[in-house]
Amino acid sequence: MQFPTKTEMLILGLLAGGEKYGLQLVKDSGGKLKRGTIYVLLDRLEDKGFITSKTPEPGSARRLYTIHGSGVRALRAQEVFEHGLPAIGAMA
Amino acid sequence: MTEKKERTTVEILTGANIHIVADDWRTYVDGGDQHFIVSQQNLVWPHLTIKDKDLLGLPMTEGDDLQLQVTEIADPEPALRPAKPKIVRPPAHFTSEVFRFIYNKKTFDRVFAPQIQDLRDEHAAALADKHVHLARWIAVRETARLLFMMKAHALVSIIKTFVQLWKIH
């Protein structure tokens, strides 16, 4: 499995707070994510298996993104890498 | 005496020799051989309004042809007329069709369709607020962003394909 990049980690961090739409992620990132690339990044994350997406309304093109189990594990690993083992306890 | 309400379609020949077909709402008072019109309204929506106050209280016998006396034909203010509905294609319609042709369903659904939907939602929101110029600007800006996204996506796809080919050999 490929480890997520820094920008992908940012998306996973935002999705850890709950399922979101693409445009919502751009707004919540405070300018770190761009509208022109967000869906490419989300597509890549979905291909890697870190997130899943669904269309909440039938016939609508809008997709709602949710973090997957492997995405949560990647986030925890990142936390451990940055803050050491106590971060796992704080996240649980 | 009983009161009856009736809706019919009538043909009216006005003084200006204009032939009109109108919906006619009438309230009758049924008095045996004679009917008395107590209220009447002719409406030819949306262009003409017929005021026929003179007909109120006019006695008529059942089976008689009603001779309508149209006193006035009023043309409402042009601003009050409902605008003719105009059907237009949504923004990025052509771009969307091109992308749908170029990319596979999965890529289109995941990468381009949500972006196009965001564009259309934003465009519709601006139009709902009567910001026509802003709506046009959103359409242009977001279409340009879509084209940029296509360029970026194509570049990454080409690099990925080369890497995979290099790995195979």
Side-chain angles (χ1 to χ4, degrees):
Chain A
M1 183 192 284
Q2 278 182 290
F3 204 73
T5 62
K6 204 177 165 184
T7 323
E8 288 170 352
M9 267 304 182
L10 174 68
I11 295 172
L12 289 178
L14 291 167
L15 285 176
E19 49 185 20
K20 285 185 172 76
Y21 289 101
L23 211 56
Q24 222 174 336
L25 287 165
V26 174
K27 283 173 188 165
D28 292 353
S29 73
K32 288 178 186 168
L33 296 169
K34 303 287 175 209
R35 283 181 68 165
T37 51
I38 184 71
Y39 291 109
V40 177
L41 290 168
L42 285 166
D43 177 45
R44 208 177 298 160
L45 275 172
E46 208 171 340
D47 277 343
K48 287 178 184 176
F50 292 119
I51 62 167
T52 53
S53 73
K54 60 179 179 189
T55 46
E57 304 139 26
S60 169
R62 297 185 82 194
R63 297 183 86 82
L64 197 57
Y65 298 90
T66 317
I67 191 163
H68 199 253
S70 51
V72 175
R73 282 198 292 277
L75 262 183
R76 284 183 181 169
Q78 176 76 8
E79 285 289 318
V80 170
F81 181 74
E82 283 180 1
H83 307 291
L85 280 173
I88 294 175
M91 281 183 79
Chain B
M1 292 198 15
T2 53
E3 198 172 284
K4 276 200 308 189
K5 278 191 180 178
E6 194 180 278
R7 181 189 171 187
T8 52
T9 303
V10 293
E11 292 188 8
I12 308 159
L13 191 65
T14 70
N17 218 20
I18 303 166
H19 193 244
I20 303 164
V21 178
D23 274 341
D24 181 47
W25 286 268
R26 263 175 246 173
T27 308
Y28 294 102
V29 175
D30 191 354
D33 291 342
Q34 283 196 321
H35 299 280
F36 296 91
I37 302 167
V38 290
S39 72
Q40 177 164 352
Q41 189 185 17
N42 290 97
L43 276 179
V44 190
W45 189 86
H47 303 297
L48 299 163
T49 308
I50 301 160
K51 291 176 183 171
D52 46 5
K53 290 172 194 164
D54 292 354
L55 288 169
L56 294 178
L58 186 78
M60 56 175 288
T61 311
E62 201 168 354
D64 276 0
D65 287 335
L66 179 69
Q67 297 296 315
L68 286 174
Q69 294 169 15
V70 180
T71 54
E72 190 185 339
I73 296 176
D75 196 1
E77 290 289 316
L80 297 175
R81 288 181 193 168
K84 194 180 171 187
K86 194 179 167 190
I87 299 167
V88 290
R89 288 198 173 97
H93 170 79
F94 181 71
T95 319
S96 163
E97 291 304 309
V98 170
F99 285 4
R100 205 187 289 271
F101 179 73
I102 293 174
Y103 293 99
N104 60 42
K105 192 180 181 303
K106 186 191 132 207
T107 308
F108 180 80
D109 286 350
R110 280 194 194 174
V111 180
F112 297 105
Q115 180 89 3
I116 292 166
Q117 189 64 45
D118 286 345
L119 182 171
R120 288 177 181 168
D121 287 350
E122 215 177 332
H123 182 266
L127 280 182
D129 292 340
K130 294 187 172 31
H131 296 144
V132 180
H133 294 294
L134 178 67
R136 278 183 196 153
W137 165 239
I138 287 167
V140 172
R141 186 190 67 194
E142 295 305 316
T143 307
R145 207 193 295 272
L146 269 169
L147 294 171
F148 168 77
M149 209 161 91
M150 187 186 91
K151 203 178 94 184
H153 194 269
L155 198 71
V156 171
S157 296
I158 290 165
I159 293 167
K160 254 190 202 174
T161 312
F162 272 109
V163 168
Q164 278 173 353
L165 284 170
W166 182 74
K167 274 181 183 173
I168 291 166
H169 295 287

